[in-house]
Amino acid sequence: MKNELKELLSGKLNLIEKIWAKEESAAQDTYNYQKEVALYCESIGNAEILEIPNTIKALGNSFIQQFSEHDFSQKTTWVVITKLADFNCNSYEQAKEIALQHK
């Protein structure tokens, strides 16, 4: 660990880059799956709105980890994907507003 910290401080980011690559790959896999099961997709600038069945299976485990307090009472949910972050919305109107703010 001490050697790895020295490498980080000297600008060697190999370990972190591997972790980032795994996280990015997992995020891309989740996105691909959500896009596949989406009931509706819309792009607004660089933002994308996906209407997805509001189930653990459709949203994916990583989504549930990120949004652990997610409400499953609605039939569908809207996910807004932007360059900065992903957002979960309870309505299309809310999703569109967020997408317009981050386009």
Side-chain angles (χ1 to χ4, degrees), residues 5-23:
L5 183 58
K6 284 181 184 179
E7 287 185 19
L8 285 176
L9 294 173
S10 67
K12 296 180 183 174
L13 302 175
N14 295 340
L15 182 61
I16 289 177
E17 287 174 346
K18 289 177 186 177
I19 293 169
W20 286 339
K22 284 182 182 179
E23 287 179 2

Side-chain angles (χ1 to χ4, degrees), residues 63-93:
F63 178 89
I64 301 306
Q65 289 173 350
Q66 184 179 0
F67 299 102
S68 61
E69 300 296 320
H70 180 71
D71 178 12
F72 287 99
S73 64
Q74 293 184 185
K75 186 177 179 178
T76 61
T77 190
W78 288 262
V79 175
V80 181
I81 300 162
T82 71
K83 288 183 178 183
L84 296 177
D86 295 349
F87 300 89
N88 182 50
C89 302
N90 294 326
S91 69
Y92 170 76
E93 292 76 19

Side-chain angles (χ1 to χ4, degrees), residues 29-38 52-65 70 72 75 77 79:
D29 289 346
T30 298
Y31 167 76
N32 289 339
Y33 180 73
Q34 287 179 341
K35 183 106 174 169
E36 185 179 304
V37 299
I52 299 174
N54 197 12
T55 65
I56 292 173
K57 183 177 180 181
L59 291 167
N61 288 330
S62 62
F63 178 89
I64 301 306
Q65 289 173 350
H70 180 71
F72 287 99
K75 186 177 179 178
T77 190
V79 175

